[in-house]
Amino acid sequence: MPSDSVPPSYAPYQPYPPYSPFPPPEPTTNVLAIVGFITSFFVGLAGIICGHIALSQIRRTGEKGRGLALAATIIGYAQVGLVFLWIAAVFIIAVLSGVGYAVRSVGSEAPAAPNAGCSTVVSAAQAFSTSLTSLESSNWKDSPADAKAKLIDEWSTFDGQVSSIEDPAISDAINTADDDLNGLNTALVDYEAAAPGQGDAAAVGSAFTKAEDGLRALASSCQ
């Protein structure tokens, strides 16, 4: 063997990395995070509870799902806030509606003015009473037929003026006055039908007084 031959070179030893038969397992997604995210769309309170529990578990175990848990809590709080806002709005609307209904009820139930139409009644009654006083002081005994005709004419005018009155109390007073006027008319008819000098003038005079008093009472009841 020649002495000047070069010995073969060898590459340095490279150790192999340690062999691992199984790869490390991937972290799982937290179940409560998934459940909380889904339920937060329907029941906000459930999403809040599940989301907070899931965040606590994820910090302890290192599981995935932190984003889902945060979303569950955010959506849950939003759901609960909307529910409270809706309840508050319904309550306010109910209160305002109740107040409005009460105000409308008070306004609709307010009684009509008791003296509605009284000015017409007072004016008509006073005018009729004055006419009766003038008729009584005239010479009605000599011409009872004319006195009766004038009474009927004035009576018709009076009834035409007060016929539109609808107040029950005033209507009753008008009917009472009409009864007194009917009594005066009957007294004049009887006086006219009696033989000359036999008529009951006192009865006619009393009927005049009663009719005039009834008209004055009607006017006073409306004042």
Side-chain angles (χ1 to χ4, degrees), residues 82-118:
L82 289 175
V83 170
F84 275 110
L85 288 176
W86 181 82
I87 293 174
V90 170
F91 178 75
I92 293 172
I93 292 172
V95 170
L96 293 178
S97 299
V99 171
Y101 176 77
V103 171
R104 289 192 298 272
S105 298
V106 171
S108 62
E109 292 174 2
N115 292 330
C118 268

Side-chain angles (χ1 to χ4, degrees), residues 56-134:
S56 177
Q57 291 179 350
I58 289 170
R59 282 194 297 269
R60 187 175 63 254
T61 63
E63 292 177 303
K64 293 191 298 183
R66 176 178 171 77
L68 292 176
L70 286 173
T73 56
I74 294 171
I75 296 172
Y77 279 120
Q79 284 271 24
V80 172
L82 289 175
V83 170
F84 275 110
L85 288 176
W86 181 82
I87 293 174
V90 170
F91 178 75
I92 293 172
I93 292 172
V95 170
L96 293 178
S97 299
V99 171
Y101 176 77
V103 171
R104 289 192 298 272
S105 298
V106 171
S108 62
E109 292 174 2
N115 292 330
C118 268
S119 58
T120 300
V121 173
V122 170
S123 176
Q126 290 176 342
F128 198 2
S129 177
T130 301
S131 296
L132 287 183
T133 301
S134 176

Side-chain angles (χ1 to χ4, degrees), residues 30-40 43-59 65-77:
N30 186 274
V31 175
L32 277 179
I34 299 173
V35 173
F37 179 74
I38 295 173
T39 57
S40 63
V43 184
L45 187 59
I48 294 171
I49 295 172
C50 291
H52 280 295
I53 296 175
L55 287 173
S56 177
Q57 291 179 350
I58 289 170
R59 282 194 297 269
R66 176 178 171 77
L68 292 176
L70 286 173
T73 56
I74 294 171
I75 296 172
Y77 279 120

Side-chain angles (χ1 to χ4, degrees), residues 120-167:
T120 300
V121 173
V122 170
S123 176
Q126 290 176 342
F128 198 2
S129 177
T130 301
S131 296
L132 287 183
T133 301
S134 176
L135 180 61
E136 183 182 11
S137 14
S138 68
N139 196 13
W140 62 267
K141 297 177 184 178
D142 295 338
S143 183
D146 290 342
K148 184 182 67 174
K150 187 172 182 180
L151 170 65
I152 296 298
D153 184 58
E154 293 286 347
W155 194 357
S156 298
T157 301
F158 171 75
D159 280 343
Q161 291 173 329
V162 301
S163 60
S164 61
I165 303 300
E166 298 180 355
D167 188 287

